[in-house]
Amino acid sequence: MTYAALTGWGKCLPPAILSNDDLSTFLDTTDEWISTRTGMKARRISHVGSIELATVASARALACAGLDPGEVDLIVYGSCSGEEQIPNSASGVQVALGARRAGAMDVNTACTSFLYGLTSAAGMIRSGTIRNALVVGVEVISLGMDWSNRNVAVLFGDGAAAVVLQASDQEEGLLGSVLGCDAEARGILRVRGLGCGWAHRGIPLGDTLWDFDGQEIFKRAVKAMSAASVEVLARCGVAPEQVDLVVPHQANLRIIEAVAKYARVPMEKVFLTVQKYGNMSAATVPVALVEAVESGRIQAGSLVLMPAFGGGLTWCAHLLRWGSRVAPLAASGRELPPCDRTALELVNAIRGDQDPHGRSREGLAPWAYAETRGTAVPAEP
Ligand code: ACO
């Protein structure tokens, strides 16, 4: 039997750090509100595009695995903030790495994109279609953020991480995954202004409106992540107490605590990054996974549970058995270009671009203005 072993890992966090106090310089919010409601203290803001972040993370993961870019069979780019619809962003990573013989595909299931991509790549390895894959989770949410909306602007950050999967006859790597989607609730987390469905509908290009029902997402996320965790453990014949570490999607510390309770895993076994990076959407789980290995929380043979949810509302849980190696085979010399601005300066530049006329909602078509106030249910694009 063929397994999809995880043999390489690497991350790339942009250096500029946006604090809660930075956010309160232009939003009606406080460090106290954000910390107590979400657990977040800081997040990163990228000075480069998502393909560049993904490329550096990927080069590090390939070096870690000792795999030459020319040997990569498939690149999966998990993200909801890819640079263009056509060409896809995975092809941008392919050319930047020089991974000439790799197939290249994007997967967008919002925050679960990396994990849906992991399942896809592992399935192709198990079936013999490919021998290896580079799976990336990357987001530059800051460019698509509505920085005038405190309900969402405080929650997200930018980042990237990648893993290498390789065919193995050892029982390791991705042992099981459960995927689902609570699609009746797809309207409670929606970003208008990204994607062609919203063209000609009164929203200027580069302007986004976030439909976001935080409390409803909270409830559905806890339910779905808990159920998926229980199901994947049952499918793999693993008891909750056998799990060595939980590396969950990190949208809110209180969501994570509730999921741990329902899945019957103590919080000491949960790996947290939410306080320093916020919610990096598709990049959250792989960045946390990399940091868990780097900090010694994952060891040879560790059983790792990864529950997640995202817009759609997609949800999933994955069970991974780490292999025998926890040290990289080699390091990559690939680095981001230096950043000469603070995170607040980067955000203010994006706000300036979004807001050339004071971001007056009156500038929008009347129907769009009504929709931003929740007084009309938007028709499907
Ligand atoms: N600063 C200050 N006050 C705020 C802020 C803010 N940033 N945001 C909202 N408030 C106010 C609200 O307006 C409300 O005021 P009101 O009582 O006068 O109406 C009050 O704070 C309380 O708001 P609640 O919605 O009750 O706060 P709650 O405790 O539910 O926390 C939160 C809100 C953090 C959004 C929570 O519901 C949550 O985490 N939801 C899920 C998060 C999520 O969905 N993340 C994205 C997932 S999708 C993905 O990962 C791609």
Short mmCIF file of all heavy atoms in Angstrom, two decimals, residues 15-77:
data_model
loop_
_atom_site.label_atom_id
_atom_site.label_comp_id
_atom_site.label_asym_id
_atom_site.label_seq_id
_atom_site.Cartn_x
_atom_site.Cartn_y
_atom_site.Cartn_z
N PRO A 15 7.61 40.22 7.61
CA PRO A 15 8.15 40.72 8.88
C PRO A 15 7.31 41.80 9.58
O PRO A 15 7.44 41.98 10.79
CB PRO A 15 9.52 41.29 8.48
CG PRO A 15 9.41 41.57 7.02
CD PRO A 15 8.45 40.58 6.46
N ALA A 16 6.47 42.54 8.83
CA ALA A 16 5.79 43.69 9.45
C ALA A 16 4.65 43.24 10.38
O ALA A 16 3.75 42.50 9.95
CB ALA A 16 5.25 44.62 8.36
N ILE A 17 4.70 43.70 11.63
CA ILE A 17 3.75 43.25 12.67
C ILE A 17 2.75 44.36 12.98
O ILE A 17 3.15 45.48 13.33
CB ILE A 17 4.51 42.87 13.95
CG1 ILE A 17 5.49 41.72 13.65
CG2 ILE A 17 3.53 42.46 15.06
CD1 ILE A 17 6.41 41.38 14.82
N LEU A 18 1.46 44.03 12.84
CA LEU A 18 0.39 44.99 13.14
C LEU A 18 -0.21 44.64 14.50
O LEU A 18 -0.76 43.55 14.68
CB LEU A 18 -0.69 44.92 12.05
CG LEU A 18 -1.76 46.02 12.09
CD1 LEU A 18 -1.18 47.35 11.61
CD2 LEU A 18 -2.97 45.64 11.23
N SER A 19 -0.10 45.57 15.45
CA SER A 19 -0.60 45.30 16.81
C SER A 19 -2.06 45.72 16.94
O SER A 19 -2.60 46.44 16.09
CB SER A 19 0.24 46.07 17.83
OG SER A 19 -0.02 47.46 17.67
N ASN A 20 -2.68 45.30 18.03
CA ASN A 20 -4.05 45.73 18.31
C ASN A 20 -4.10 47.25 18.48
O ASN A 20 -5.05 47.92 18.05
CB ASN A 20 -4.58 45.04 19.56
CG ASN A 20 -4.78 43.55 19.35
OD1 ASN A 20 -4.79 43.08 18.21
ND2 ASN A 20 -4.96 42.82 20.43
N ASP A 21 -3.05 47.80 19.10
CA ASP A 21 -3.01 49.27 19.27
C ASP A 21 -2.90 49.98 17.92
O ASP A 21 -3.47 51.06 17.74
CB ASP A 21 -1.84 49.67 20.18
CG ASP A 21 -2.11 49.30 21.64
OD1 ASP A 21 -3.31 49.17 22.00
OD2 ASP A 21 -1.15 49.12 22.40
N ASP A 22 -2.16 49.37 16.97
CA ASP A 22 -2.11 49.96 15.62
C ASP A 22 -3.53 50.03 15.03
O ASP A 22 -3.91 51.04 14.43
CB ASP A 22 -1.26 49.10 14.67
CG ASP A 22 0.24 49.19 14.96
OD1 ASP A 22 0.67 50.23 15.49
OD2 ASP A 22 0.96 48.22 14.65
N LEU A 23 -4.30 48.95 15.20
CA LEU A 23 -5.67 48.93 14.65
C LEU A 23 -6.53 50.02 15.27
O LEU A 23 -7.38 50.62 14.59
CB LEU A 23 -6.31 47.55 14.89
CG LEU A 23 -5.78 46.43 13.99
CD1 LEU A 23 -6.09 45.05 14.57
CD2 LEU A 23 -6.37 46.54 12.58
N SER A 24 -6.30 50.27 16.56
CA SER A 24 -7.16 51.26 17.22
C SER A 24 -6.80 52.70 16.81
O SER A 24 -7.49 53.63 17.20
CB SER A 24 -7.12 51.09 18.74
OG SER A 24 -5.83 51.33 19.20
N THR A 25 -5.74 52.88 15.99
CA THR A 25 -5.47 54.24 15.50
C THR A 25 -6.45 54.65 14.41
O THR A 25 -6.62 55.84 14.14
CB THR A 25 -4.02 54.38 14.94
OG1 THR A 25 -3.88 53.50 13.80
CG2 THR A 25 -2.97 54.06 15.97
N PHE A 26 -7.10 53.65 13.74
CA PHE A 26 -8.05 54.04 12.70
C PHE A 26 -9.41 53.33 12.81
O PHE A 26 -10.29 53.55 12.00
CB PHE A 26 -7.46 53.82 11.29
CG PHE A 26 -7.08 52.38 10.98
CD1 PHE A 26 -7.98 51.54 10.39
CD2 PHE A 26 -5.81 51.92 11.28
CE1 PHE A 26 -7.63 50.23 10.10
CE2 PHE A 26 -5.45 50.60 10.99
CZ PHE A 26 -6.36 49.76 10.40
N LEU A 27 -9.55 52.45 13.81
CA LEU A 27 -10.84 51.77 14.02
C LEU A 27 -11.31 52.03 15.45
O LEU A 27 -10.48 52.19 16.35
CB LEU A 27 -10.69 50.25 13.85
CG LEU A 27 -10.50 49.71 12.44
CD1 LEU A 27 -10.16 48.22 12.51
CD2 LEU A 27 -11.76 49.92 11.60
N ASP A 28 -12.62 52.00 15.65
CA ASP A 28 -13.18 52.15 16.98
C ASP A 28 -13.08 50.80 17.70
O ASP A 28 -14.04 50.04 17.77
CB ASP A 28 -14.64 52.62 16.87
CG ASP A 28 -15.28 52.80 18.24
OD1 ASP A 28 -14.52 52.84 19.23
OD2 ASP A 28 -16.52 52.86 18.30
N THR A 29 -11.87 50.48 18.16
CA THR A 29 -11.65 49.20 18.83
C THR A 29 -10.53 49.37 19.85
O THR A 29 -9.87 50.42 19.91
CB THR A 29 -11.28 48.11 17.80
OG1 THR A 29 -11.32 46.83 18.45
CG2 THR A 29 -9.90 48.31 17.19
N THR A 30 -10.32 48.33 20.67
CA THR A 30 -9.27 48.41 21.70
C THR A 30 -8.53 47.08 21.77
O THR A 30 -9.06 46.03 21.40
CB THR A 30 -9.88 48.66 23.09
OG1 THR A 30 -10.78 47.58 23.37
CG2 THR A 30 -10.60 49.99 23.17
N ASP A 31 -7.32 47.15 22.30
CA ASP A 31 -6.54 45.93 22.55
C ASP A 31 -7.33 45.01 23.48
O ASP A 31 -7.38 43.79 23.28
CB ASP A 31 -5.19 46.32 23.19
CG ASP A 31 -4.39 45.11 23.63
OD1 ASP A 31 -4.33 44.14 22.86
OD2 ASP A 31 -3.85 45.13 24.75
N GLU A 32 -7.98 45.59 24.46
CA GLU A 32 -8.73 44.79 25.44
C GLU A 32 -9.87 44.02 24.75
O GLU A 32 -10.03 42.82 24.98
CB GLU A 32 -9.28 45.75 26.52
CG GLU A 32 -9.56 45.09 27.85
CD GLU A 32 -11.01 44.68 27.99
OE1 GLU A 32 -11.86 45.35 27.37
OE2 GLU A 32 -11.30 43.69 28.71
N TRP A 33 -10.64 44.68 23.87
CA TRP A 33 -11.75 44.00 23.19
C TRP A 33 -11.20 42.86 22.32
O TRP A 33 -11.69 41.72 22.39
CB TRP A 33 -12.55 44.98 22.31
CG TRP A 33 -13.85 44.37 21.81
CD1 TRP A 33 -15.09 44.54 22.37
CD2 TRP A 33 -14.03 43.50 20.69
NE1 TRP A 33 -16.03 43.81 21.68
CE2 TRP A 33 -15.40 43.16 20.64
CE3 TRP A 33 -13.19 42.94 19.75
CZ2 TRP A 33 -15.94 42.31 19.67
CZ3 TRP A 33 -13.71 42.09 18.78
CH2 TRP A 33 -15.08 41.79 18.75
N ILE A 34 -10.19 43.16 21.53
CA ILE A 34 -9.69 42.14 20.59
C ILE A 34 -9.09 40.96 21.36
O ILE A 34 -9.35 39.79 21.05
CB ILE A 34 -8.64 42.75 19.64
CG1 ILE A 34 -9.24 43.91 18.83
CG2 ILE A 34 -8.12 41.68 18.66
CD1 ILE A 34 -8.21 44.73 18.06
N SER A 35 -8.30 41.25 22.39
CA SER A 35 -7.64 40.17 23.14
C SER A 35 -8.66 39.27 23.82
O SER A 35 -8.56 38.05 23.74
CB SER A 35 -6.73 40.73 24.23
OG SER A 35 -5.82 41.62 23.69
N THR A 36 -9.65 39.88 24.49
CA THR A 36 -10.57 39.04 25.26
C THR A 36 -11.55 38.30 24.35
O THR A 36 -11.93 37.18 24.64
CB THR A 36 -11.37 39.85 26.30
OG1 THR A 36 -11.97 40.96 25.64
CG2 THR A 36 -10.47 40.36 27.41
N ARG A 37 -11.97 38.90 23.22
CA ARG A 37 -12.95 38.23 22.35
C ARG A 37 -12.32 37.22 21.41
O ARG A 37 -12.99 36.32 20.93
CB ARG A 37 -13.70 39.24 21.49
CG ARG A 37 -14.44 40.30 22.24
CD ARG A 37 -15.71 39.76 22.84
NE ARG A 37 -16.39 40.79 23.61
CZ ARG A 37 -17.68 41.01 23.58
NH1 ARG A 37 -18.48 40.27 22.83
NH2 ARG A 37 -18.21 41.95 24.32
N THR A 38 -11.02 37.40 21.08
CA THR A 38 -10.43 36.55 20.03
C THR A 38 -9.13 35.86 20.45
O THR A 38 -8.72 34.90 19.81
CB THR A 38 -10.10 37.38 18.77
OG1 THR A 38 -8.99 38.23 19.06
CG2 THR A 38 -11.27 38.22 18.32
N GLY A 39 -8.45 36.38 21.47
CA GLY A 39 -7.13 35.86 21.84
C GLY A 39 -6.00 36.46 21.03
O GLY A 39 -4.84 36.13 21.22
N MET A 40 -6.33 37.35 20.08
CA MET A 40 -5.29 37.89 19.19
C MET A 40 -4.61 39.13 19.77
O MET A 40 -5.28 40.01 20.30
CB MET A 40 -5.91 38.28 17.84
CG MET A 40 -6.49 37.10 17.09
SD MET A 40 -7.46 37.64 15.65
CE MET A 40 -8.23 36.08 15.18
N LYS A 41 -3.28 39.18 19.61
CA LYS A 41 -2.52 40.36 20.03
C LYS A 41 -1.87 41.05 18.83
O LYS A 41 -1.60 42.25 18.87
CB LYS A 41 -1.41 39.97 21.01
CG LYS A 41 -1.88 39.37 22.32
CD LYS A 41 -2.69 40.33 23.17
CE LYS A 41 -1.85 41.33 23.91
NZ LYS A 41 -2.70 42.21 24.77
N ALA A 42 -1.55 40.28 17.78
CA ALA A 42 -0.83 40.84 16.63
C ALA A 42 -1.10 39.97 15.41
O ALA A 42 -1.64 38.87 15.52
CB ALA A 42 0.66 40.87 16.92
N ARG A 43 -0.75 40.49 14.25
CA ARG A 43 -0.85 39.75 12.99
C ARG A 43 0.18 40.36 12.03
O ARG A 43 0.69 41.48 12.29
CB ARG A 43 -2.27 39.78 12.38
CG ARG A 43 -2.80 41.06 11.86
CD ARG A 43 -3.23 42.08 12.92
NE ARG A 43 -4.33 41.66 13.76
CZ ARG A 43 -4.45 41.96 15.04
NH1 ARG A 43 -3.53 42.71 15.64
NH2 ARG A 43 -5.47 41.57 15.77
N ARG A 44 0.51 39.64 10.94
CA ARG A 44 1.51 40.14 9.99
C ARG A 44 0.82 40.76 8.78
O ARG A 44 -0.27 40.32 8.37
CB ARG A 44 2.41 38.99 9.51
CG ARG A 44 3.17 38.29 10.62
CD ARG A 44 4.16 39.21 11.30
NE ARG A 44 4.81 38.55 12.43
CZ ARG A 44 5.99 37.96 12.37
NH1 ARG A 44 6.67 37.94 11.24
NH2 ARG A 44 6.51 37.38 13.44
N ILE A 45 1.48 41.76 8.19
CA ILE A 45 1.00 42.40 6.97
C ILE A 45 2.10 42.27 5.91
O ILE A 45 3.25 42.66 6.14
CB ILE A 45 0.67 43.90 7.20
CG1 ILE A 45 -0.38 44.05 8.32
CG2 ILE A 45 0.18 44.55 5.90
CD1 ILE A 45 -1.76 43.47 8.03
N SER A 46 1.74 41.76 4.75
CA SER A 46 2.75 41.47 3.73
C SER A 46 3.09 42.68 2.88
O SER A 46 2.19 43.44 2.49
CB SER A 46 2.27 40.33 2.83
OG SER A 46 3.30 39.98 1.94
N HIS A 47 4.38 42.83 2.58
CA HIS A 47 4.82 43.88 1.65
C HIS A 47 5.05 43.32 0.26
O HIS A 47 5.49 44.03 -0.63
CB HIS A 47 6.11 44.53 2.17
CG HIS A 47 7.28 43.58 2.28
ND1 HIS A 47 7.25 42.46 3.07
CD2 HIS A 47 8.50 43.58 1.68
CE1 HIS A 47 8.40 41.81 2.96
NE2 HIS A 47 9.17 42.47 2.11
N VAL A 48 4.79 42.00 0.08
CA VAL A 48 4.93 41.37 -1.25
C VAL A 48 3.63 40.63 -1.56
O VAL A 48 2.77 40.45 -0.69
CB VAL A 48 6.12 40.38 -1.28
CG1 VAL A 48 7.43 41.09 -1.01
CG2 VAL A 48 5.91 39.23 -0.30
N GLY A 49 3.51 40.16 -2.80
CA GLY A 49 2.31 39.44 -3.20
C GLY A 49 2.31 38.01 -2.69
O GLY A 49 3.31 37.49 -2.19
N SER A 50 1.15 37.36 -2.87
CA SER A 50 1.00 36.01 -2.30
C SER A 50 1.90 34.98 -3.00
O SER A 50 2.38 34.05 -2.36
CB SER A 50 -0.46 35.58 -2.34
OG SER A 50 -0.96 35.65 -3.65
N ILE A 51 2.15 35.16 -4.29
CA ILE A 51 3.01 34.19 -4.99
C ILE A 51 4.43 34.24 -4.42
O ILE A 51 5.08 33.21 -4.24
CB ILE A 51 3.00 34.45 -6.52
CG1 ILE A 51 1.62 34.07 -7.09
CG2 ILE A 51 4.10 33.67 -7.22
CD1 ILE A 51 1.45 34.38 -8.57
N GLU A 52 4.90 35.44 -4.12
CA GLU A 52 6.26 35.56 -3.58
C GLU A 52 6.36 34.94 -2.18
O GLU A 52 7.32 34.22 -1.88
CB GLU A 52 6.68 37.04 -3.56
CG GLU A 52 8.17 37.21 -3.37
CD GLU A 52 8.68 38.58 -3.78
OE1 GLU A 52 7.90 39.40 -4.31
OE2 GLU A 52 9.89 38.82 -3.57
N LEU A 53 5.36 35.19 -1.35
CA LEU A 53 5.35 34.54 -0.03
C LEU A 53 5.35 33.03 -0.17
O LEU A 53 6.09 32.31 0.50
CB LEU A 53 4.08 34.92 0.75
CG LEU A 53 3.97 36.22 1.51
CD1 LEU A 53 2.67 36.22 2.32
CD2 LEU A 53 5.15 36.44 2.43
N ALA A 54 4.48 32.55 -1.08
CA ALA A 54 4.34 31.10 -1.29
C ALA A 54 5.63 30.49 -1.83
O ALA A 54 6.01 29.38 -1.45
CB ALA A 54 3.20 30.83 -2.26
N THR A 55 6.33 31.23 -2.67
CA THR A 55 7.56 30.71 -3.28
C THR A 55 8.65 30.53 -2.23
O THR A 55 9.35 29.52 -2.20
CB THR A 55 8.04 31.65 -4.40
OG1 THR A 55 7.01 31.73 -5.39
CG2 THR A 55 9.32 31.14 -5.04
N VAL A 56 8.79 31.50 -1.33
CA VAL A 56 9.82 31.38 -0.29
C VAL A 56 9.49 30.21 0.65
O VAL A 56 10.36 29.38 0.96
CB VAL A 56 9.98 32.71 0.49
CG1 VAL A 56 10.95 32.54 1.65
CG2 VAL A 56 10.45 33.82 -0.44
N ALA A 57 8.23 30.11 1.05
CA ALA A 57 7.83 28.99 1.91
C ALA A 57 8.08 27.66 1.19
O ALA A 57 8.56 26.69 1.80
CB ALA A 57 6.35 29.12 2.29
N SER A 58 7.78 27.61 -0.10
CA SER A 58 7.93 26.37 -0.87
C SER A 58 9.40 25.99 -1.01
O SER A 58 9.77 24.81 -0.89
CB SER A 58 7.33 26.55 -2.27
OG SER A 58 5.95 26.81 -2.18
N ALA A 59 10.26 26.99 -1.29
CA ALA A 59 11.70 26.70 -1.43
C ALA A 59 12.23 26.11 -0.12
O ALA A 59 13.04 25.18 -0.12
CB ALA A 59 12.45 27.98 -1.79
N ARG A 60 11.75 26.63 1.00
CA ARG A 60 12.21 26.12 2.30
C ARG A 60 11.71 24.69 2.52
O ARG A 60 12.44 23.84 3.04
CB ARG A 60 11.73 27.05 3.41
CG ARG A 60 12.45 28.40 3.35
CD ARG A 60 11.90 29.43 4.30
NE ARG A 60 12.67 30.67 4.18
CZ ARG A 60 12.34 31.83 4.72
NH1 ARG A 60 11.24 31.93 5.44
NH2 ARG A 60 13.10 32.89 4.55
N ALA A 61 10.46 24.42 2.12
CA ALA A 61 9.91 23.06 2.30
C ALA A 61 10.65 22.06 1.41
O ALA A 61 10.94 20.93 1.83
CB ALA A 61 8.42 23.07 1.98
N LEU A 62 10.98 22.47 0.19
CA LEU A 62 11.69 21.56 -0.72
C LEU A 62 13.10 21.27 -0.20
O LEU A 62 13.56 20.13 -0.23
CB LEU A 62 11.76 22.17 -2.13
CG LEU A 62 10.43 22.20 -2.90
CD1 LEU A 62 10.60 22.98 -4.21
CD2 LEU A 62 9.93 20.79 -3.19
N ALA A 63 13.79 22.32 0.29
CA ALA A 63 15.13 22.10 0.85
C ALA A 63 15.05 21.16 2.05
O ALA A 63 15.87 20.25 2.20
CB ALA A 63 15.75 23.44 1.27
N CYS A 64 14.04 21.36 2.87
CA CYS A 64 13.83 20.52 4.05
C CYS A 64 13.68 19.05 3.66
O CYS A 64 14.18 18.15 4.32
CB CYS A 64 12.59 21.02 4.79
SG CYS A 64 12.09 20.03 6.18
N ALA A 65 12.99 18.81 2.53
CA ALA A 65 12.76 17.44 2.06
C ALA A 65 13.92 16.91 1.23
O ALA A 65 13.95 15.73 0.87
CB ALA A 65 11.48 17.39 1.23
N GLY A 66 14.85 17.79 0.87
CA GLY A 66 15.94 17.38 -0.02
C GLY A 66 15.46 17.08 -1.42
O GLY A 66 16.04 16.25 -2.13
N LEU A 67 14.38 17.76 -1.84
CA LEU A 67 13.81 17.52 -3.16
C LEU A 67 14.13 18.70 -4.08
O LEU A 67 13.87 19.86 -3.73
CB LEU A 67 12.29 17.35 -3.03
CG LEU A 67 11.54 16.81 -4.25
CD1 LEU A 67 11.91 15.35 -4.51
CD2 LEU A 67 10.01 16.91 -4.04
N ASP A 68 14.69 18.40 -5.23
CA ASP A 68 15.01 19.44 -6.20
C ASP A 68 13.72 19.94 -6.84
O ASP A 68 12.82 19.15 -7.13
CB ASP A 68 15.92 18.83 -7.28
CG ASP A 68 16.43 19.90 -8.22
OD1 ASP A 68 17.44 20.52 -7.88
OD2 ASP A 68 15.78 20.11 -9.27
N PRO A 69 13.57 21.27 -7.08
CA PRO A 69 12.34 21.76 -7.71
C PRO A 69 12.01 21.03 -9.01
O PRO A 69 10.83 20.80 -9.32
CB PRO A 69 12.64 23.24 -7.97
CG PRO A 69 13.68 23.61 -6.95
CD PRO A 69 14.48 22.37 -6.71
N GLY A 70 13.03 20.64 -9.75
CA GLY A 70 12.81 19.94 -11.02
C GLY A 70 12.19 18.57 -10.87
O GLY A 70 11.73 17.97 -11.85
N GLU A 71 12.15 18.05 -9.63
CA GLU A 71 11.57 16.72 -9.40
C GLU A 71 10.11 16.78 -8.94
O GLU A 71 9.48 15.75 -8.73
CB GLU A 71 12.37 16.00 -8.31
CG GLU A 71 13.81 15.70 -8.66
CD GLU A 71 14.54 15.09 -7.47
OE1 GLU A 71 15.02 15.86 -6.62
OE2 GLU A 71 14.60 13.85 -7.38
N VAL A 72 9.60 18.00 -8.74
CA VAL A 72 8.23 18.11 -8.19
C VAL A 72 7.19 17.73 -9.25
O VAL A 72 7.24 18.19 -10.39
CB VAL A 72 7.96 19.56 -7.69
CG1 VAL A 72 6.52 19.72 -7.22
CG2 VAL A 72 8.93 19.93 -6.58
N ASP A 73 6.26 16.86 -8.86
CA ASP A 73 5.21 16.40 -9.80
C ASP A 73 4.00 17.34 -9.83
O ASP A 73 3.34 17.47 -10.86
CB ASP A 73 4.71 15.01 -9.38
CG ASP A 73 5.72 13.92 -9.69
OD1 ASP A 73 6.63 14.16 -10.51
OD2 ASP A 73 5.60 12.83 -9.09
N LEU A 74 3.66 17.93 -8.67
CA LEU A 74 2.43 18.73 -8.59
C LEU A 74 2.59 19.83 -7.55
O LEU A 74 3.10 19.58 -6.46
CB LEU A 74 1.24 17.83 -8.18
CG LEU A 74 -0.10 18.54 -7.98
CD1 LEU A 74 -0.67 19.02 -9.33
CD2 LEU A 74 -1.12 17.63 -7.29
N ILE A 75 2.11 21.02 -7.91
CA ILE A 75 2.03 22.13 -6.94
C ILE A 75 0.56 22.44 -6.70
O ILE A 75 -0.19 22.70 -7.66
CB ILE A 75 2.75 23.39 -7.45
CG1 ILE A 75 4.24 23.10 -7.67
CG2 ILE A 75 2.56 24.55 -6.49
CD1 ILE A 75 4.99 24.21 -8.38
N VAL A 76 0.15 22.38 -5.44
CA VAL A 76 -1.23 22.74 -5.06
C VAL A 76 -1.15 24.03 -4.26
O VAL A 76 -0.45 24.10 -3.25
CB VAL A 76 -1.90 21.64 -4.23
CG1 VAL A 76 -3.34 22.03 -3.92
CG2 VAL A 76 -1.84 20.30 -4.93
N TYR A 77 -1.87 25.04 -4.73
CA TYR A 77 -1.80 26.38 -4.12
C TYR A 77 -3.13 26.62 -3.41
O TYR A 77 -4.15 26.93 -4.04
CB TYR A 77 -1.58 27.37 -5.25
CG TYR A 77 -1.28 28.80 -4.87
CD1 TYR A 77 0.02 29.27 -4.87
CD2 TYR A 77 -2.30 29.70 -4.57
CE1 TYR A 77 0.31 30.60 -4.57
CE2 TYR A 77 -2.02 31.02 -4.27
CZ TYR A 77 -0.71 31.46 -4.27
OH TYR A 77 -0.43 32.76 -3.98
#
